[in-house]
Amino acid sequence: MAVLKLQKYGSPVLREKAMPVSKVDNEVRELVENMIETMYAEGGVGLAAPQVGVSKKIIVIDIEEKGVIVLINPVIIKREGETKEEEGCLSVPGVYSTVRRSSTITVEALDLDENKIRITQEGFLAIALQHEIDHLEGYLFIDRLSPAKRLMIKDQLKEIV
Ligand code: NI
């Protein structure tokens, strides 16, 4: 296993729409292992493949000792309610801001055995899923801030680039 280099704000790969994974092979499994190691090494609770420079639809999440969730080609198929919590991102170091998200979501994806799975989550896990799935579409949490909040973090963003 290896800790991979994190892509930070300003890196073009973070703005790409990631490609679906066509086959969960050893290469994908190795990437997932390295993503998990990188997430732990950097002290994050979630990571998307574009954050380590790989434009593929893969996310890993580990919140509150519930164990690691690995989702391949995740798609949000249902959203309910609304919530607002402070978010941060390993790719946008030092920036934290409150983001409006759906409070409950249902996601369809493949697991590491290529089985189709469907999970419904609420709370922090729902927020983390939306945050990581956003990465696969080329979005960062700062894109979801109001214009006033974006203005407040403008200088911090300049320091990252
Ligand atoms: Ni992030």
Side-chain angles (χ1 to χ4, degrees):
M1 295 221 281
V3 174
L4 305 171
K5 185 173 182 285
L6 260 185
Q7 301 296 310
K8 304 271 170 72
Y9 176 78
S11 169
V13 70
L14 293 176
R15 293 317 197 168
E16 287 173 23
K17 208 171 148 73
M19 295 292 290
V21 173
S22 54
K23 189 164 177 29
V24 182
D25 54 15
N26 283 337
E27 193 185 328
V28 168
R29 279 187 277 270
E30 193 185 328
L31 172 63
V32 166
E33 279 185 18
N34 290 338
M35 283 174 62
I36 292 168
E37 180 135 338
T38 306
M39 171 175 72
Y40 291 148
E42 301 287 347
V45 294
L47 200 68
Q51 292 183 275
V52 291
V54 180
S55 195
K56 287 183 181 167
K57 290 192 186 294
I58 303 170
I59 63 172
V60 299
I61 292 175
D62 188 355
I63 287 179
E64 294 162 1
E65 294 159 17
K66 282 178 183 166
V68 185
I69 298 172
V70 177
L71 298 179
I72 317 274
N73 300 339
V75 178
I76 298 172
I77 58 164
K78 195 175 171 201
R79 297 173 173 274
E80 270 182 293
E82 200 178 275
T83 186
K84 279 200 293 190
E85 290 288 346
E86 191 173 77
E87 294 185 25
C89 178
L90 292 176
S91 294
V92 194
V95 178
Y96 299 90
S97 197
T98 307
V99 184
R100 195 185 297 265
R101 302 276 190 190
S102 303
S103 54
T104 306
I105 62 163
T106 301
V107 176
E108 271 185 2
L110 296 178
D111 66 14
L112 276 177
D113 297 315
E114 237 171 49
N115 296 314
K116 197 167 184 176
I117 54 170
R118 179 183 290 191
I119 55 171
T120 298
Q121 293 292 344
E122 57 181 14
F124 281 122
L125 199 40
I127 291 168
L129 282 164
Q130 290 168 85
H131 178 116
E132 300 309 333
I133 291 171
D134 262 1
H135 275 298
L136 305 180
E137 299 299 320
Y139 290 114
L140 300 171
F141 80 100
I142 51 173
D143 303 326
R144 301 208 175 275
L145 304 180
S146 65
K149 279 194 192 140
R150 274 211 75 145
L151 204 59
M152 283 165 60
I153 61 164
K154 214 175 112 201
D155 289 344
Q156 284 172 285
L157 291 178
K158 267 191 209 149
E159 277 172 33
I160 300 171
V161 179

